[in-house]
Amino acid sequence: MTYNEICIALANAEIENNRGEASMLICHFCGLNQAELLMRRDEDFDSEELRAAVQRRCRHYPLQYILGYWQFCKETYRVTEDTLIPRSDTEKLVELAVRLLPQGARFIDLCTGSGCVAISTLAARPDCRAVAVDLFEKTLEIARENAEQNGVGERLGFIARDVLAPEFMEELGKFDCIISNPPYIETKHIELLDEELSFEPEAALDGGDDGLDFYRAIIGNYGKYLKDGGTMLFEIGCDQAKAVATIAANNGFGCEVYKDYSSNDRVAYLTKHSQT
């Protein structure tokens, strides 16, 4: 298949960035870089792996899973169907964590998935340490690998627990910050999502009937595991700012909402006042 043939196949399958994805697929499966591809766009690349990858992509199987990795912040992450694909919107959560964490902070990342939030935060803040929590061991295996590959393995611990059952926190002590990009899509909307999302783990998407189950559980039950003056940082759905702020207020937290790079509400910053 030539570069143009792959572009046409992807375009016919309604893949929006067909040219960019054609380049990534050829470079990945044929061992080229972008500069080399520019000189060889008319070449017929005889690769069964490439052909199979194009066919899968035309069926809207996620490009990230086909490649097996994805860029997030300044790091590269291994991704599989056991992990949610890191998205650029979530980089705002990391940006704020890097800026707002106190010097020498110890934080916990709930629902860590690929580990991208904790790992990219630690990569930018070598003074910090963290614990990453996820329900599934297979997911944590990927996160551990990502931590090692990105040079933060010695500062990041992992634990397989159910975030909705916070008793495990008793053994971990207190944290300067609780960070989470939890499942926040309403259950009834899961089946209406874009086709590509159907390949991602449903447990990482489903936030319950109103999408707020994890916010209620974490905000309502995890405050006692924060140090005095401790904070919480959440990624939220673009229409959830008011609901999350209400949950925060009902549990004695202040809430400030930050927008992502598309000007959508994306991060909720909760502050816990010092105890007297």
Side-chain angles (χ1 to χ4, degrees), residues 222-240:
Y222 283 73
K224 62 184 177 181
Y225 303 114
L226 286 173
K227 298 177 183 179
D228 285 351
T231 61
M232 294 186 183
L233 274 168
F234 296 100
E235 178 168 327
I236 62 174
C238 61
D239 59 350
Q240 293 177 323

Side-chain angles (χ1 to χ4, degrees), residues 13 19 72 108 128 234 271 273:
R19 292 184 177 277
F72 177 83
I108 188 165
C128 295
F234 296 100
T271 53
H273 300 298

